[in-house]
Amino acid sequence: EEEAERQKREEEERQEAERQRLAEEEAERRKEEERQEVERQRLAEEEAERQTREEEERQQVELQRLAEEEAERQKREEEERQEAERQRLAEEEAERQRREEEDQERQVMERQRLANEEAERQKQEEQQEVERQEDERQTREE
């Protein structure tokens, strides 16, 4: 009986030790799974942060590109506006010079006309003087 009792106790102790060992293994396995889950979560967060950074950088590059395009467009518009203004001023200057030349031409023609009239008047006066002197001479002779 004592032997049977001893064997029974030993068997129970062995089974208890086995249960203990299995429980410890299970606890270790769960602990490892939790560690792996924590690592997966950390890696997922790092990936999400990396993607967020990349997206922000991509958006920043896009904003920069758009800002440069807008600045270039405004520069082109300003250059076109200045060119149109230069063109307008050049056309105004050409028109002013044309009018000035026409005015000078008219003045020259007017001076020429007045000079011709004056020459004609003097010629008539001289002719009248010659005729008057001729009349006086004839009167004296008579």
Side-chain angles (χ1 to χ4, degrees):
E1 266 178 39
E2 285 179 8
E3 181 59 24
E5 190 65 32
R6 186 186 62 73
Q7 286 181 358
K8 182 181 173 188
R9 265 195 323 275
E10 283 181 0
E11 179 60 23
E12 286 174 355
E13 287 172 1
R14 189 190 62 71
Q15 287 178 359
E16 181 57 32
E18 182 65 13
R19 273 194 301 277
Q20 186 67 31
R21 185 186 65 75
L22 290 173
E24 287 173 3
E25 284 182 2
E26 178 64 16
E28 193 61 34
R29 186 185 63 73
R30 285 189 182 144
K31 187 175 169 186
E32 180 60 21
E33 282 179 358
E34 286 176 10
R35 188 193 64 73
Q36 288 179 359
E37 181 57 31
V38 167
E39 180 67 7
R40 276 194 298 275
Q41 187 65 30
R42 184 186 67 76
L43 291 173
E45 288 173 2
E46 284 181 3
E47 177 63 14
E49 287 174 4
R50 184 190 65 77
Q51 288 180 359
T52 300
R53 270 194 317 275
E54 285 180 358
E55 179 62 18
E56 288 172 351
E57 288 170 3
R58 188 193 64 72
Q59 288 177 356
Q60 187 59 37
V61 166
E62 180 66 8
L63 287 174
Q64 183 67 28
R65 184 186 67 77
L66 291 173
E68 288 171 1
E69 282 182 4
E70 177 62 14
E72 188 62 30
R73 183 189 63 76
Q74 289 179 358
K75 180 181 169 190
R76 264 194 324 274
E77 285 180 358
E78 179 61 17
E79 288 172 351
E80 288 169 2
R81 187 194 63 73
Q82 289 178 358
E83 181 56 32
E85 179 66 7
R86 278 193 294 274
Q87 185 67 29
R88 184 186 66 76
L89 291 173
E91 288 171 1
E92 284 181 3
E93 178 61 15
E95 179 63 19
R96 187 193 64 74
Q97 288 180 359
R98 185 188 64 76
R99 282 195 307 269
E100 194 174 281
E101 288 171 5
E102 286 178 354
D103 286 349
Q104 288 176 353
E105 224 173 88
R106 275 195 297 275
Q107 289 172 3
V108 166
M109 289 172 70
E110 180 65 11
R111 283 195 294 274
Q112 187 63 43
R113 185 185 66 75
L114 292 173
N116 290 344
E117 285 180 1
E118 179 62 18
E120 184 64 29
R121 188 187 60 73
Q122 287 179 0
K123 182 178 165 189
Q124 287 177 357
E125 281 181 3
E126 288 172 6
Q127 181 64 32
Q128 288 172 352
E129 181 61 25
V130 165
E131 288 175 3
R132 187 186 63 74
Q133 288 177 358
E134 182 62 26
D135 286 348
E136 277 181 11
R137 190 186 58 74
Q138 285 181 359
T139 301
R140 277 196 308 273
E141 284 179 3
E142 292 173 0

